[in-house]
Amino acid sequence: MRAGHEGRRDEVAGYVLRAAELLDGVPGAPARFEEIPSPWSGPIGTRPGTASFQLVDARGSSWESAGRDVEGMRRDAVLRPLLGWECSEDAPAWSEGVLRWAHGRFPGAGGDTASVSMRSGSSEADPTAAAEAAAVLERMGGAERREWLGGYLAARDACDPSAVDAP
């Protein structure tokens, strides 16, 4: 956590731990999480093997912004940097489904579409493909899902959608 947010460690810990559990045993999964500065406060960069998150959304609103799905924002602040496609211009049409699946794996989330509604002001390239990808990920066995997610992370990090098939 950044020094200014040390007091929020307990608030964030549950989201980070749950996200880490989703990728337990996945090849190439990050070994640590760290809060990064807001986009307007300077360069953003993380060390290899580190997943980042922010306590504010892309527009600078805090998690407590009025009229927002606070739980969805908290999950998305951790999940989107962890599982979102790095190069949005090359994102497979189904890639948002990985985030849908991950959101739905949090207790009480119930498979909502919070990640879709908060995506940088844009909508999914293909909501049907995303829903199908989330459903397939949910049906996969643990070992099969870990293997697929490892390939997905590698393809995402390389910005190479041809290196991974839809789940």
Side-chain angles (χ1 to χ4, degrees):
M1 299 287 296
R2 293 187 299 136
H5 289 159
E6 279 294 322
R8 297 180 78 179
R9 183 178 297 276
D10 290 343
E11 176 187 357
V12 175
Y15 298 97
V16 169
L17 291 172
R18 183 67 181 138
E21 287 173 7
L22 292 176
L23 294 182
D24 186 36
V26 172
R32 59 179 270 122
F33 288 78
E34 66 183 34
E35 181 188 11
I36 58 174
S38 61
W40 58 89
S41 65
I44 295 174
T46 57
R47 295 179 286 258
T50 301
S52 62
F53 63 91
Q54 291 180 307
L55 296 183
V56 295
D57 67 19
R59 293 183 178 87
S61 303
S62 75
W63 280 0
E64 293 77 21
S65 297
R68 303 290 285 263
D69 172 9
V70 173
E71 288 298 310
M73 288 181 71
R74 289 174 176 172
R75 288 190 311 269
D76 210 57
V78 174
L79 292 173
R80 186 164 296 283
L82 180 64
L83 294 169
W85 196 264
E86 294 289 309
C87 306
S88 59
E89 66 278 357
D90 294 328
W94 49 262
S95 65
E96 197 76 6
V98 179
L99 287 163
R100 277 188 180 210
W101 166 80
H103 270 270
R105 301 288 293 192
F106 274 67
D112 64 27
T113 58
S115 66
V116 175
S117 64
M118 292 183 292
R119 182 177 184 172
S120 307
S122 65
S123 61
E124 295 175 81
D126 187 340
T128 303
E132 185 177 319
V136 171
L137 279 167
E138 186 62 32
R139 289 192 304 266
M140 282 183 182
E144 179 185 15
R145 185 182 309 116
R146 284 188 296 276
E147 181 180 338
W148 186 87
L149 284 168
Y152 171 80
L153 291 175
R156 182 214 52 187
D157 291 347
C159 294
D160 184 4
S162 67
V164 64
D165 292 327

